[in-house]
Every structure is written in C-alpha cells, then in structure tokens.
Amino acid sequence: MMGKEIRNILRRFVSISGYSLIMLVIMGPVLHVIDGVGNGQIGAIAICTFIAALSSLVFISGKELQGAAWWIREVVCLLINVAFALPVTYHVGLWHSVTGMTVMIIIIIMIAFGNHLIEFFFDMRTASQLNRKIRELR
Amino acid sequence: MIRININIIDEAEDEKIEVFCHEDHKEKMYGIARGFADGSRKITCKKDDKTYQIRLDDILYIETVDEHLFIYCADEVYENRMRLYEAEEICRDTLFFKASKSMLINIKKIDNMKPSLSGRFEITMINGERLLVSRKYVSDLKKKMDL
C-alpha cells in the first residue's frame, strides 16, 4: 500500500514536471512573457512540483467520494498548492504584480485540472473499447 | 444447418450440454456452451419469507449494504445471508466483475458505460439503472474482456 502511494507520488511528480516545462516554454520562447529562468527559480519550481505531487495524498480515502465531497477534496488540494507555490515563486522573483499572481494561480489550476482532463480522454478510449466488447458479447 | 435436440430429464438428474460440431467450430461452440452453463449456476435467495433459486444469468448485480447481501434482477430484489466473498466464489470464472468493495456486476447485463471527470465510470444496466464504478475497478473489467 505504501509502495503504491510512493509510486503514485513519483508518477505525479514526473507528469507535473512535464506540465511545468510546457508552461515555461509557452511563457518564454513562445509568448516572451518571461526572459529566461535562473537556477534559483528552477529550484523553486521543482520544490513546488514536489509539493504538488505530495498533495495527491489528500486523495487517499477509505471510500469513493462523489458530488460535493469530491469537489471539496479537489479545492482543498488546490488551496494547498496555491498556499505554498505563491509565496515561494514570489520570493524567487517569478512574479511581482497582481497580474503575475493571477497568472500563477491560473497555471496551478490548469495543471490541477489538466491532469483530470487527460485521464478523462484515456477513460473515453477505455469506455469505447469496452462498449464494443459488451456489444459483441450480446 | 444446425439441428437442435432437447431431451427432458428428471429433476433429480444433472443437466448437461453435449455439442456435436465440426473441428473448426469447436472453440466457438465451447464458448457458447460454457457461457450458458456458467449462467445457469444458481444462488438461493429469499424474498417475502419465500425461497427462490436465481440463475446467475438473471442477476444484474449483487451488492452488500449494512452487512446484508442484495441480489438485483431486472424487476426484483432478493436477499441472501452470505458474505460478498462467498458470492464472489460462486461467480468466479463467470462474467461477473468486482465493481467496488461491495458490488459485483454481471457484464452480460451492461447496456453501455461512459466516463466522468471525477475518475469514475457510469455504467447503465439493461433495465436503465445506473451504477458508478471507480477507474481502479475498471481494470478488472478490462482483464475479463481480454483488453
């Protein structure tokens, strides 16, 4: 059980690192919003990514949550990430103004829900394959 | 053309299926006969102080609620005193899969399924009833369907 949770955290760390890299490429070379990222800033992003991966422990639950309970859990996870990432990224100079803070919050929300969206697309494929097999069975 | 012969036997005798087929139809015929034989396994259930023998083929899903085992058919719900793990034993090697800690679903009675954003799948049964299954239990369903 512990091993499975550690693997989940590592998996999330890798995927969130990927999303963060994509965001840096979009913000830098594509949109020219930022002009290069220093070692301290990369270190801060890595730490925020690790905390985001650890926040997945919020999803450990004895029973399946649905409806309002599911959304509350999602919001709690998001708040943990925002509460940690905003001061850290401000301290290393990744944002200075209210606009920068807003952009940072939007990026965190996109990463949090982007993960769900990607898993949803994979689930659509699974459902399609299973529906075909179920029809063959009948 | 395939001929069908049905011989009526006494209740005390065991039913059996014998298939006479060509070599290249062997696998398909075995699958059909196996599916029918598995579906004809029965579970003893109670409803309104009466006892019934319910065929697995007639069951949509089995669920435990407050330590009571309920067996859901298309139009009726029955009760049984056994534990879910005992029902799992009876349903082993059949087309029932474990959909949650407290539920077994008959794959043959599923109409369709669709995913939701919350990491669950909504399964619609042939009687229109909807059940929610977590993504982690769908992997068991995929194995049963050889995916």
Side-chain angles (χ1 to χ4, degrees), chain A residues 62 64-66 70 117 119-120 123-124 126-127 129-131 133-134 137-138, chain B residues 95 101 107 110-113 115-116 118 120-121 132 134-135 138 142 145 147:
Chain A
E64 293 288 331
L65 299 183
Q66 12 183 345
W70 187 85
L117 210 59
E119 285 175 338
F120 177 73
D123 286 347
M124 276 177 71
T126 300
Q129 289 170 333
L130 284 168
N131 281 330
K133 281 278 186 176
I134 287 165
L137 209 60
R138 288 209 298 268
Chain B
L95 284 173
K101 282 184 196 170
I107 297 170
I110 294 175
D111 186 47
N112 69 76
M113 56 192 302
S116 69
S118 56
R120 273 183 285 268
F121 284 78
L132 285 175
S134 167
R135 186 186 290 131
V138 169
K142 284 172 81 171
M145 305 296 269
L147 283 174

PDB file of all heavy atoms in Angstrom, chain A residues 62 64-66 70 117 119-120 123-124 126-127 129-131 133-134 137-138, chain B residues 95 101 107 110-113 115-116 118 120-121 132 134-135 138 142 145 147:
ATOM      1  N   GLY A  62     -10.850   6.239   2.438  1.00  0.00           N
ATOM      2  CA  GLY A  62     -11.376   4.896   2.692  1.00  0.00           C
ATOM      3  C   GLY A  62     -12.508   4.541   1.737  1.00  0.00           C
ATOM      4  O   GLY A  62     -12.704   3.387   1.393  1.00  0.00           O
ATOM      5  N   GLU A  64     -15.000   5.864  -1.836  1.00  0.00           N
ATOM      6  CA  GLU A  64     -15.061   6.726  -3.016  1.00  0.00           C
ATOM      7  C   GLU A  64     -15.889   7.971  -2.693  1.00  0.00           C
ATOM      8  O   GLU A  64     -16.967   7.861  -2.149  1.00  0.00           O
ATOM      9  CB  GLU A  64     -15.746   5.984  -4.173  1.00  0.00           C
ATOM     10  CG  GLU A  64     -14.963   4.812  -4.714  1.00  0.00           C
ATOM     11  CD  GLU A  64     -13.743   5.249  -5.509  1.00  0.00           C
ATOM     12  OE1 GLU A  64     -13.750   6.338  -6.097  1.00  0.00           O
ATOM     13  OE2 GLU A  64     -12.761   4.493  -5.512  1.00  0.00           O
ATOM     14  N   LEU A  65     -15.365   9.129  -3.053  1.00  0.00           N
ATOM     15  CA  LEU A  65     -16.117  10.360  -2.832  1.00  0.00           C
ATOM     16  C   LEU A  65     -16.836  10.751  -4.115  1.00  0.00           C
ATOM     17  O   LEU A  65     -16.342  10.485  -5.209  1.00  0.00           O
ATOM     18  CB  LEU A  65     -15.168  11.497  -2.413  1.00  0.00           C
ATOM     19  CG  LEU A  65     -14.389  11.288  -1.120  1.00  0.00           C
ATOM     20  CD1 LEU A  65     -13.557  12.517  -0.806  1.00  0.00           C
ATOM     21  CD2 LEU A  65     -15.297  10.977   0.048  1.00  0.00           C
ATOM     22  N   GLN A  66     -18.000  11.348  -3.951  1.00  0.00           N
ATOM     23  CA  GLN A  66     -18.705  11.831  -5.129  1.00  0.00           C
ATOM     24  C   GLN A  66     -19.397  13.150  -4.813  1.00  0.00           C
ATOM     25  O   GLN A  66     -19.547  13.522  -3.663  1.00  0.00           O
ATOM     26  CB  GLN A  66     -19.748  10.853  -5.664  1.00  0.00           C
ATOM     27  CG  GLN A  66     -20.106   9.719  -4.819  1.00  0.00           C
ATOM     28  CD  GLN A  66     -21.090   8.760  -5.454  1.00  0.00           C
ATOM     29  OE1 GLN A  66     -21.751   9.051  -6.449  1.00  0.00           O
ATOM     30  NE2 GLN A  66     -21.202   7.622  -4.878  1.00  0.00           N
ATOM     31  N   TRP A  70     -16.347  15.249  -3.436  1.00  0.00           N
ATOM     32  CA  TRP A  70     -15.267  15.161  -4.420  1.00  0.00           C
ATOM     33  C   TRP A  70     -14.743  16.537  -4.725  1.00  0.00           C
ATOM     34  O   TRP A  70     -13.536  16.769  -4.752  1.00  0.00           O
ATOM     35  CB  TRP A  70     -15.790  14.495  -5.691  1.00  0.00           C
ATOM     36  CG  TRP A  70     -14.726  14.214  -6.710  1.00  0.00           C
ATOM     37  CD1 TRP A  70     -13.909  13.120  -6.777  1.00  0.00           C
ATOM     38  CD2 TRP A  70     -14.349  15.048  -7.809  1.00  0.00           C
ATOM     39  NE1 TRP A  70     -13.052  13.232  -7.865  1.00  0.00           N
ATOM     40  CE2 TRP A  70     -13.306  14.400  -8.511  1.00  0.00           C
ATOM     41  CE3 TRP A  70     -14.798  16.287  -8.292  1.00  0.00           C
ATOM     42  CZ2 TRP A  70     -12.712  14.931  -9.650  1.00  0.00           C
ATOM     43  CZ3 TRP A  70     -14.197  16.820  -9.431  1.00  0.00           C
ATOM     44  CH2 TRP A  70     -13.168  16.153 -10.086  1.00  0.00           C
ATOM     45  N   LEU A 117      -8.345  16.055 -16.960  1.00  0.00           N
ATOM     46  CA  LEU A 117      -8.818  16.081 -18.354  1.00  0.00           C
ATOM     47  C   LEU A 117      -8.116  15.013 -19.186  1.00  0.00           C
ATOM     48  O   LEU A 117      -8.751  14.306 -19.973  1.00  0.00           O
ATOM     49  CB  LEU A 117      -8.538  17.471 -18.936  1.00  0.00           C
ATOM     50  CG  LEU A 117      -9.495  17.966 -20.025  1.00  0.00           C
ATOM     51  CD1 LEU A 117     -10.928  18.012 -19.504  1.00  0.00           C
ATOM     52  CD2 LEU A 117      -9.088  19.359 -20.470  1.00  0.00           C
ATOM     53  N   GLU A 119      -6.707  12.259 -18.066  1.00  0.00           N
ATOM     54  CA  GLU A 119      -7.192  10.948 -17.621  1.00  0.00           C
ATOM     55  C   GLU A 119      -8.588  10.674 -18.184  1.00  0.00           C
ATOM     56  O   GLU A 119      -8.913   9.539 -18.537  1.00  0.00           O
ATOM     57  CB  GLU A 119      -7.211  10.892 -16.083  1.00  0.00           C
ATOM     58  CG  GLU A 119      -5.812  10.729 -15.503  1.00  0.00           C
ATOM     59  CD  GLU A 119      -5.770  10.780 -13.992  1.00  0.00           C
ATOM     60  OE1 GLU A 119      -6.696  11.324 -13.382  1.00  0.00           O
ATOM     61  OE2 GLU A 119      -4.784  10.287 -13.434  1.00  0.00           O
ATOM     62  N   PHE A 120      -9.408  11.720 -18.308  1.00  0.00           N
ATOM     63  CA  PHE A 120     -10.756  11.583 -18.865  1.00  0.00           C
ATOM     64  C   PHE A 120     -10.695  11.127 -20.330  1.00  0.00           C
ATOM     65  O   PHE A 120     -11.465  10.256 -20.746  1.00  0.00           O
ATOM     66  CB  PHE A 120     -11.494  12.917 -18.749  1.00  0.00           C
ATOM     67  CG  PHE A 120     -12.872  12.904 -19.355  1.00  0.00           C
ATOM     68  CD1 PHE A 120     -13.903  12.226 -18.727  1.00  0.00           C
ATOM     69  CD2 PHE A 120     -13.139  13.568 -20.534  1.00  0.00           C
ATOM     70  CE1 PHE A 120     -15.180  12.206 -19.272  1.00  0.00           C
ATOM     71  CE2 PHE A 120     -14.409  13.550 -21.089  1.00  0.00           C
ATOM     72  CZ  PHE A 120     -15.431  12.871 -20.459  1.00  0.00           C
ATOM     73  N   ASP A 123      -9.938   7.578 -20.396  1.00  0.00           N
ATOM     74  CA  ASP A 123     -11.123   6.819 -19.970  1.00  0.00           C
ATOM     75  C   ASP A 123     -12.140   6.709 -21.100  1.00  0.00           C
ATOM     76  O   ASP A 123     -12.841   5.700 -21.218  1.00  0.00           O
ATOM     77  CB  ASP A 123     -11.792   7.511 -18.769  1.00  0.00           C
ATOM     78  CG  ASP A 123     -11.007   7.321 -17.488  1.00  0.00           C
ATOM     79  OD1 ASP A 123     -10.100   6.457 -17.481  1.00  0.00           O
ATOM     80  OD2 ASP A 123     -11.285   8.035 -16.506  1.00  0.00           O
ATOM     81  N   MET A 124     -12.230   7.741 -21.932  1.00  0.00           N
ATOM     82  CA  MET A 124     -13.162   7.701 -23.073  1.00  0.00           C
ATOM     83  C   MET A 124     -12.779   6.572 -24.011  1.00  0.00           C
ATOM     84  O   MET A 124     -13.628   5.838 -24.523  1.00  0.00           O
ATOM     85  CB  MET A 124     -13.130   9.043 -23.829  1.00  0.00           C
ATOM     86  CG  MET A 124     -14.023  10.087 -23.219  1.00  0.00           C
ATOM     87  SD  MET A 124     -13.909  11.653 -24.045  1.00  0.00           S
ATOM     88  CE  MET A 124     -14.727  11.328 -25.585  1.00  0.00           C
ATOM     89  N   THR A 126     -11.063   3.866 -23.154  1.00  0.00           N
ATOM     90  CA  THR A 126     -11.359   2.604 -22.451  1.00  0.00           C
ATOM     91  C   THR A 126     -12.839   2.268 -22.564  1.00  0.00           C
ATOM     92  O   THR A 126     -13.203   1.121 -22.870  1.00  0.00           O
ATOM     93  CB  THR A 126     -10.978   2.713 -20.963  1.00  0.00           C
ATOM     94  OG1 THR A 126      -9.589   2.997 -20.854  1.00  0.00           O
ATOM     95  CG2 THR A 126     -11.286   1.435 -20.211  1.00  0.00           C
ATOM     96  N   ALA A 127     -13.695   3.260 -22.349  1.00  0.00           N
ATOM     97  CA  ALA A 127     -15.147   3.034 -22.403  1.00  0.00           C
ATOM     98  C   ALA A 127     -15.560   2.592 -23.811  1.00  0.00           C
ATOM     99  O   ALA A 127     -16.394   1.684 -23.964  1.00  0.00           O
ATOM    100  CB  ALA A 127     -15.899   4.308 -22.003  1.00  0.00           C
ATOM    101  N   GLN A 129     -13.726   0.985 -26.049  1.00  0.00           N
ATOM    102  CA  GLN A 129     -13.284  -0.409 -26.270  1.00  0.00           C
ATOM    103  C   GLN A 129     -14.201  -1.386 -25.538  1.00  0.00           C
ATOM    104  O   GLN A 129     -14.598  -2.426 -26.092  1.00  0.00           O
ATOM    105  CB  GLN A 129     -11.853  -0.594 -25.748  1.00  0.00           C
ATOM    106  CG  GLN A 129     -10.792   0.083 -26.574  1.00  0.00           C
ATOM    107  CD  GLN A 129      -9.429   0.073 -25.895  1.00  0.00           C
ATOM    108  OE1 GLN A 129      -9.330   0.022 -24.658  1.00  0.00           O
ATOM    109  NE2 GLN A 129      -8.378   0.113 -26.682  1.00  0.00           N
ATOM    110  N   LEU A 130     -14.560  -1.035 -24.300  1.00  0.00           N
ATOM    111  CA  LEU A 130     -15.397  -1.938 -23.501  1.00  0.00           C
ATOM    112  C   LEU A 130     -16.815  -2.022 -24.067  1.00  0.00           C
ATOM    113  O   LEU A 130     -17.407  -3.101 -24.098  1.00  0.00           O
ATOM    114  CB  LEU A 130     -15.425  -1.478 -22.036  1.00  0.00           C
ATOM    115  CG  LEU A 130     -14.156  -1.791 -21.244  1.00  0.00           C
ATOM    116  CD1 LEU A 130     -14.149  -1.055 -19.915  1.00  0.00           C
ATOM    117  CD2 LEU A 130     -14.017  -3.286 -20.996  1.00  0.00           C
ATOM    118  N   ASN A 131     -17.344  -0.888 -24.530  1.00  0.00           N
ATOM    119  CA  ASN A 131     -18.693  -0.894 -25.101  1.00  0.00           C
ATOM    120  C   ASN A 131     -18.753  -1.805 -26.334  1.00  0.00           C
ATOM    121  O   ASN A 131     -19.730  -2.528 -26.542  1.00  0.00           O
ATOM    122  CB  ASN A 131     -19.139   0.528 -25.475  1.00  0.00           C
ATOM    123  CG  ASN A 131     -19.603   1.302 -24.254  1.00  0.00           C
ATOM    124  OD1 ASN A 131     -20.106   0.724 -23.291  1.00  0.00           O
ATOM    125  ND2 ASN A 131     -19.429   2.614 -24.282  1.00  0.00           N
ATOM    126  N   LYS A 133     -16.815  -4.418 -26.890  1.00  0.00           N
ATOM    127  CA  LYS A 133     -16.748  -5.815 -26.424  1.00  0.00           C
ATOM    128  C   LYS A 133     -18.068  -6.280 -25.827  1.00  0.00           C
ATOM    129  O   LYS A 133     -18.497  -7.414 -26.022  1.00  0.00           O
ATOM    130  CB  LYS A 133     -15.652  -5.946 -25.343  1.00  0.00           C
ATOM    131  CG  LYS A 133     -14.253  -6.012 -25.900  1.00  0.00           C
ATOM    132  CD  LYS A 133     -13.927  -7.425 -26.341  1.00  0.00           C
ATOM    133  CE  LYS A 133     -12.483  -7.561 -26.766  1.00  0.00           C
ATOM    134  NZ  LYS A 133     -12.119  -8.925 -27.108  1.00  0.00           N
ATOM    135  N   ILE A 134     -18.739  -5.369 -25.108  1.00  0.00           N
ATOM    136  CA  ILE A 134     -20.022  -5.721 -24.487  1.00  0.00           C
ATOM    137  C   ILE A 134     -21.067  -5.979 -25.573  1.00  0.00           C
ATOM    138  O   ILE A 134     -21.872  -6.907 -25.463  1.00  0.00           O
ATOM    139  CB  ILE A 134     -20.473  -4.585 -23.515  1.00  0.00           C
ATOM    140  CG1 ILE A 134     -19.604  -4.607 -22.249  1.00  0.00           C
ATOM    141  CG2 ILE A 134     -21.937  -4.737 -23.131  1.00  0.00           C
ATOM    142  CD1 ILE A 134     -19.713  -3.360 -21.404  1.00  0.00           C
ATOM    143  N   LEU A 137     -20.539  -9.343 -26.995  1.00  0.00           N
ATOM    144  CA  LEU A 137     -20.978 -10.368 -26.042  1.00  0.00           C
ATOM    145  C   LEU A 137     -22.462 -10.653 -26.187  1.00  0.00           C
ATOM    146  O   LEU A 137     -22.904 -11.804 -26.056  1.00  0.00           O
ATOM    147  CB  LEU A 137     -20.707  -9.836 -24.622  1.00  0.00           C
ATOM    148  CG  LEU A 137     -20.415 -10.836 -23.516  1.00  0.00           C
ATOM    149  CD1 LEU A 137     -19.178 -11.635 -23.854  1.00  0.00           C
ATOM    150  CD2 LEU A 137     -20.172 -10.078 -22.223  1.00  0.00           C
ATOM    151  N   ARG A 138     -23.222  -9.584 -26.479  1.00  0.00           N
ATOM    152  CA  ARG A 138     -24.672  -9.772 -26.586  1.00  0.00           C
ATOM    153  C   ARG A 138     -25.035 -10.310 -27.965  1.00  0.00           C
ATOM    154  O   ARG A 138     -26.029 -10.942 -28.153  1.00  0.00           O
ATOM    155  CB  ARG A 138     -25.396  -8.467 -26.315  1.00  0.00           C
ATOM    156  CG  ARG A 138     -25.366  -8.026 -24.835  1.00  0.00           C
ATOM    157  CD  ARG A 138     -26.585  -7.209 -24.490  1.00  0.00           C
ATOM    158  NE  ARG A 138     -26.645  -5.996 -25.281  1.00  0.00           N
ATOM    159  CZ  ARG A 138     -26.138  -4.827 -24.903  1.00  0.00           C
ATOM    160  NH1 ARG A 138     -25.533  -4.700 -23.747  1.00  0.00           N
ATOM    161  NH2 ARG A 138     -26.229  -3.765 -25.655  1.00  0.00           N
TER     162      ARG A 138
ATOM    163  N   LEU B  95     -18.974 -14.157 -15.979  1.00  0.00           N
ATOM    164  CA  LEU B  95     -18.821 -12.780 -16.431  1.00  0.00           C
ATOM    165  C   LEU B  95     -19.340 -11.775 -15.407  1.00  0.00           C
ATOM    166  O   LEU B  95     -20.023 -10.813 -15.745  1.00  0.00           O
ATOM    167  CB  LEU B  95     -19.504 -12.588 -17.795  1.00  0.00           C
ATOM    168  CG  LEU B  95     -18.709 -13.175 -18.947  1.00  0.00           C
ATOM    169  CD1 LEU B  95     -19.489 -13.119 -20.239  1.00  0.00           C
ATOM    170  CD2 LEU B  95     -17.381 -12.436 -19.128  1.00  0.00           C
ATOM    171  N   LYS B 101     -15.873  -2.300  -3.498  1.00  0.00           N
ATOM    172  CA  LYS B 101     -15.678  -3.173  -2.324  1.00  0.00           C
ATOM    173  C   LYS B 101     -16.948  -3.941  -2.009  1.00  0.00           C
ATOM    174  O   LYS B 101     -16.916  -4.980  -1.357  1.00  0.00           O
ATOM    175  CB  LYS B 101     -15.309  -2.313  -1.103  1.00  0.00           C
ATOM    176  CG  LYS B 101     -13.890  -1.852  -1.078  1.00  0.00           C
ATOM    177  CD  LYS B 101     -13.597  -1.093   0.194  1.00  0.00           C
ATOM    178  CE  LYS B 101     -12.312  -0.315   0.040  1.00  0.00           C
ATOM    179  NZ  LYS B 101     -12.067   0.628   1.106  1.00  0.00           N
ATOM    180  N   ILE B 107     -21.495  -8.584 -16.359  1.00  0.00           N
ATOM    181  CA  ILE B 107     -21.084  -7.876 -17.580  1.00  0.00           C
ATOM    182  C   ILE B 107     -22.121  -8.053 -18.684  1.00  0.00           C
ATOM    183  O   ILE B 107     -22.374  -7.138 -19.467  1.00  0.00           O
ATOM    184  CB  ILE B 107     -19.708  -8.384 -18.061  1.00  0.00           C
ATOM    185  CG1 ILE B 107     -18.640  -8.085 -16.997  1.00  0.00           C
ATOM    186  CG2 ILE B 107     -19.308  -7.733 -19.373  1.00  0.00           C
ATOM    187  CD1 ILE B 107     -17.303  -8.739 -17.266  1.00  0.00           C
ATOM    188  N   ILE B 110     -24.820  -5.372 -18.846  1.00  0.00           N
ATOM    189  CA  ILE B 110     -24.461  -3.965 -19.019  1.00  0.00           C
ATOM    190  C   ILE B 110     -24.946  -3.514 -20.399  1.00  0.00           C
ATOM    191  O   ILE B 110     -24.723  -4.194 -21.397  1.00  0.00           O
ATOM    192  CB  ILE B 110     -22.936  -3.753 -18.916  1.00  0.00           C
ATOM    193  CG1 ILE B 110     -22.452  -4.075 -17.499  1.00  0.00           C
ATOM    194  CG2 ILE B 110     -22.556  -2.317 -19.273  1.00  0.00           C
ATOM    195  CD1 ILE B 110     -20.940  -4.015 -17.330  1.00  0.00           C
ATOM    196  N   ASP B 111     -25.591  -2.338 -20.426  1.00  0.00           N
ATOM    197  CA  ASP B 111     -26.033  -1.781 -21.705  1.00  0.00           C
ATOM    198  C   ASP B 111     -24.903  -0.954 -22.322  1.00  0.00           C
ATOM    199  O   ASP B 111     -24.536  -1.126 -23.475  1.00  0.00           O
ATOM    200  CB  ASP B 111     -27.285  -0.929 -21.494  1.00  0.00           C
ATOM    201  CG  ASP B 111     -27.857  -0.441 -22.813  1.00  0.00           C
ATOM    202  OD1 ASP B 111     -27.985  -1.277 -23.734  1.00  0.00           O
ATOM    203  OD2 ASP B 111     -28.146   0.749 -22.946  1.00  0.00           O
ATOM    204  N   ASN B 112     -24.365  -0.032 -21.541  1.00  0.00           N
ATOM    205  CA  ASN B 112     -23.217   0.757 -22.008  1.00  0.00           C
ATOM    206  C   ASN B 112     -22.541   1.422 -20.815  1.00  0.00           C
ATOM    207  O   ASN B 112     -23.070   1.399 -19.704  1.00  0.00           O
ATOM    208  CB  ASN B 112     -23.640   1.817 -23.035  1.00  0.00           C
ATOM    209  CG  ASN B 112     -24.465   2.913 -22.412  1.00  0.00           C
ATOM    210  OD1 ASN B 112     -23.966   3.788 -21.730  1.00  0.00           O
ATOM    211  ND2 ASN B 112     -25.772   2.847 -22.607  1.00  0.00           N
ATOM    212  N   MET B 113     -21.374   2.004 -21.062  1.00  0.00           N
ATOM    213  CA  MET B 113     -20.680   2.728 -19.998  1.00  0.00           C
ATOM    214  C   MET B 113     -20.029   3.976 -20.546  1.00  0.00           C
ATOM    215  O   MET B 113     -19.670   4.032 -21.726  1.00  0.00           O
ATOM    216  CB  MET B 113     -19.644   1.823 -19.329  1.00  0.00           C
ATOM    217  CG  MET B 113     -18.638   1.213 -20.251  1.00  0.00           C
ATOM    218  SD  MET B 113     -17.686  -0.083 -19.434  1.00  0.00           S
ATOM    219  CE  MET B 113     -16.966   0.774 -18.071  1.00  0.00           C
ATOM    220  N   PRO B 115     -17.358   7.509 -19.239  1.00  0.00           N
ATOM    221  CA  PRO B 115     -16.518   8.035 -18.159  1.00  0.00           C
ATOM    222  C   PRO B 115     -17.038   9.367 -17.642  1.00  0.00           C
ATOM    223  O   PRO B 115     -17.812  10.049 -18.310  1.00  0.00           O
ATOM    224  CB  PRO B 115     -15.167   8.228 -18.849  1.00  0.00           C
ATOM    225  CG  PRO B 115     -15.525   8.552 -20.262  1.00  0.00           C
ATOM    226  CD  PRO B 115     -16.800   7.820 -20.568  1.00  0.00           C
ATOM    227  N   SER B 116     -16.608   9.718 -16.429  1.00  0.00           N
ATOM    228  CA  SER B 116     -16.900  11.062 -15.915  1.00  0.00           C
ATOM    229  C   SER B 116     -15.583  11.703 -15.500  1.00  0.00           C
ATOM    230  O   SER B 116     -14.573  11.013 -15.350  1.00  0.00           O
ATOM    231  CB  SER B 116     -17.864  10.985 -14.726  1.00  0.00           C
ATOM    232  OG  SER B 116     -17.213  10.414 -13.622  1.00  0.00           O
ATOM    233  N   SER B 118     -14.667  12.808 -12.759  1.00  0.00           N
ATOM    234  CA  SER B 118     -14.225  12.502 -11.393  1.00  0.00           C
ATOM    235  C   SER B 118     -13.471  11.172 -11.290  1.00  0.00           C
ATOM    236  O   SER B 118     -13.251  10.670 -10.198  1.00  0.00           O
ATOM    237  CB  SER B 118     -15.430  12.476 -10.451  1.00  0.00           C
ATOM    238  OG  SER B 118     -16.385  11.556 -10.929  1.00  0.00           O
ATOM    239  N   ARG B 120     -14.495   8.258 -12.449  1.00  0.00           N
ATOM    240  CA  ARG B 120     -15.407   7.115 -12.352  1.00  0.00           C
ATOM    241  C   ARG B 120     -16.063   6.858 -13.695  1.00  0.00           C
ATOM    242  O   ARG B 120     -16.057   7.711 -14.575  1.00  0.00           O
ATOM    243  CB  ARG B 120     -16.482   7.389 -11.298  1.00  0.00           C
ATOM    244  CG  ARG B 120     -16.066   7.004  -9.894  1.00  0.00           C
ATOM    245  CD  ARG B 120     -17.212   7.232  -8.940  1.00  0.00           C
ATOM    246  NE  ARG B 120     -17.369   8.634  -8.694  1.00  0.00           N
ATOM    247  CZ  ARG B 120     -16.779   9.271  -7.694  1.00  0.00           C
ATOM    248  NH1 ARG B 120     -15.996   8.632  -6.864  1.00  0.00           N
ATOM    249  NH2 ARG B 120     -16.966  10.561  -7.536  1.00  0.00           N
ATOM    250  N   PHE B 121     -16.620   5.645 -13.793  1.00  0.00           N
ATOM    251  CA  PHE B 121     -17.368   5.290 -14.996  1.00  0.00           C
ATOM    252  C   PHE B 121     -18.828   5.108 -14.604  1.00  0.00           C
ATOM    253  O   PHE B 121     -19.138   4.491 -13.575  1.00  0.00           O
ATOM    254  CB  PHE B 121     -16.845   3.976 -15.582  1.00  0.00           C
ATOM    255  CG  PHE B 121     -15.534   4.122 -16.305  1.00  0.00           C
ATOM    256  CD1 PHE B 121     -14.355   4.225 -15.585  1.00  0.00           C
ATOM    257  CD2 PHE B 121     -15.477   4.152 -17.684  1.00  0.00           C
ATOM    258  CE1 PHE B 121     -13.141   4.364 -16.231  1.00  0.00           C
ATOM    259  CE2 PHE B 121     -14.263   4.281 -18.345  1.00  0.00           C
ATOM    260  CZ  PHE B 121     -13.098   4.390 -17.617  1.00  0.00           C
ATOM    261  N   LEU B 132     -22.176   3.515 -10.474  1.00  0.00           N
ATOM    262  CA  LEU B 132     -20.877   4.193 -10.605  1.00  0.00           C
ATOM    263  C   LEU B 132     -19.753   3.235 -10.225  1.00  0.00           C
ATOM    264  O   LEU B 132     -19.820   2.569  -9.195  1.00  0.00           O
ATOM    265  CB  LEU B 132     -20.820   5.419  -9.694  1.00  0.00           C
ATOM    266  CG  LEU B 132     -21.613   6.634 -10.171  1.00  0.00           C
ATOM    267  CD1 LEU B 132     -21.584   7.728  -9.132  1.00  0.00           C
ATOM    268  CD2 LEU B 132     -21.040   7.159 -11.479  1.00  0.00           C
ATOM    269  N   SER B 134     -15.437   2.913  -9.931  1.00  0.00           N
ATOM    270  CA  SER B 134     -14.177   3.654  -9.926  1.00  0.00           C
ATOM    271  C   SER B 134     -13.248   3.139 -11.021  1.00  0.00           C
ATOM    272  O   SER B 134     -13.312   1.974 -11.414  1.00  0.00           O
ATOM    273  CB  SER B 134     -13.504   3.469  -8.568  1.00  0.00           C
ATOM    274  OG  SER B 134     -12.179   3.906  -8.618  1.00  0.00           O
ATOM    275  N   ARG B 135     -12.375   4.015 -11.498  1.00  0.00           N
ATOM    276  CA  ARG B 135     -11.416   3.665 -12.561  1.00  0.00           C
ATOM    277  C   ARG B 135     -10.573   2.462 -12.163  1.00  0.00           C
ATOM    278  O   ARG B 135     -10.268   1.609 -12.997  1.00  0.00           O
ATOM    279  CB  ARG B 135     -10.504   4.870 -12.820  1.00  0.00           C
ATOM    280  CG  ARG B 135      -9.565   4.701 -13.998  1.00  0.00           C
ATOM    281  CD  ARG B 135      -8.607   5.864 -14.098  1.00  0.00           C
ATOM    282  NE  ARG B 135      -9.285   7.078 -14.514  1.00  0.00           N
ATOM    283  CZ  ARG B 135      -9.152   8.251 -13.906  1.00  0.00           C
ATOM    284  NH1 ARG B 135      -8.382   8.378 -12.852  1.00  0.00           N
ATOM    285  NH2 ARG B 135      -9.794   9.311 -14.348  1.00  0.00           N
ATOM    286  N   VAL B 138     -12.227  -0.765 -13.009  1.00  0.00           N
ATOM    287  CA  VAL B 138     -12.468  -0.998 -14.434  1.00  0.00           C
ATOM    288  C   VAL B 138     -11.341  -1.849 -15.029  1.00  0.00           C
ATOM    289  O   VAL B 138     -11.549  -2.574 -16.007  1.00  0.00           O
ATOM    290  CB  VAL B 138     -12.630   0.348 -15.179  1.00  0.00           C
ATOM    291  CG1 VAL B 138     -12.612   0.170 -16.685  1.00  0.00           C
ATOM    292  CG2 VAL B 138     -13.945   0.996 -14.765  1.00  0.00           C
ATOM    293  N   LYS B 142     -11.553  -4.865 -17.691  1.00  0.00           N
ATOM    294  CA  LYS B 142     -10.748  -4.960 -18.925  1.00  0.00           C
ATOM    295  C   LYS B 142     -10.091  -6.335 -19.030  1.00  0.00           C
ATOM    296  O   LYS B 142     -10.046  -6.927 -20.103  1.00  0.00           O
ATOM    297  CB  LYS B 142      -9.677  -3.860 -18.947  1.00  0.00           C
ATOM    298  CG  LYS B 142     -10.223  -2.482 -19.294  1.00  0.00           C
ATOM    299  CD  LYS B 142      -9.202  -1.396 -19.119  1.00  0.00           C
ATOM    300  CE  LYS B 142      -8.261  -1.310 -20.286  1.00  0.00           C
ATOM    301  NZ  LYS B 142      -7.388  -0.119 -20.210  1.00  0.00           N
ATOM    302  N   MET B 145     -12.484  -8.909 -20.139  1.00  0.00           N
ATOM    303  CA  MET B 145     -12.861  -8.752 -21.552  1.00  0.00           C
ATOM    304  C   MET B 145     -11.645  -8.892 -22.470  1.00  0.00           C
ATOM    305  O   MET B 145     -11.731  -8.579 -23.657  1.00  0.00           O
ATOM    306  CB  MET B 145     -13.504  -7.365 -21.775  1.00  0.00           C
ATOM    307  CG  MET B 145     -14.682  -7.101 -20.877  1.00  0.00           C
ATOM    308  SD  MET B 145     -16.032  -8.230 -21.195  1.00  0.00           S
ATOM    309  CE  MET B 145     -16.938  -7.302 -22.393  1.00  0.00           C
ATOM    310  N   LEU B 147      -8.827  -7.160 -22.673  1.00  0.00           N
ATOM    311  CA  LEU B 147      -8.326  -5.901 -23.247  1.00  0.00           C
ATOM    312  C   LEU B 147      -7.015  -5.492 -22.564  1.00  0.00           C
ATOM    313  O   LEU B 147      -6.836  -5.725 -21.393  1.00  0.00           O
ATOM    314  CB  LEU B 147      -9.360  -4.786 -23.065  1.00  0.00           C
ATOM    315  CG  LEU B 147     -10.551  -4.814 -24.004  1.00  0.00           C
ATOM    316  CD1 LEU B 147     -11.555  -3.751 -23.603  1.00  0.00           C
ATOM    317  CD2 LEU B 147     -10.105  -4.579 -25.441  1.00  0.00           C
TER     318      LEU B 147
END
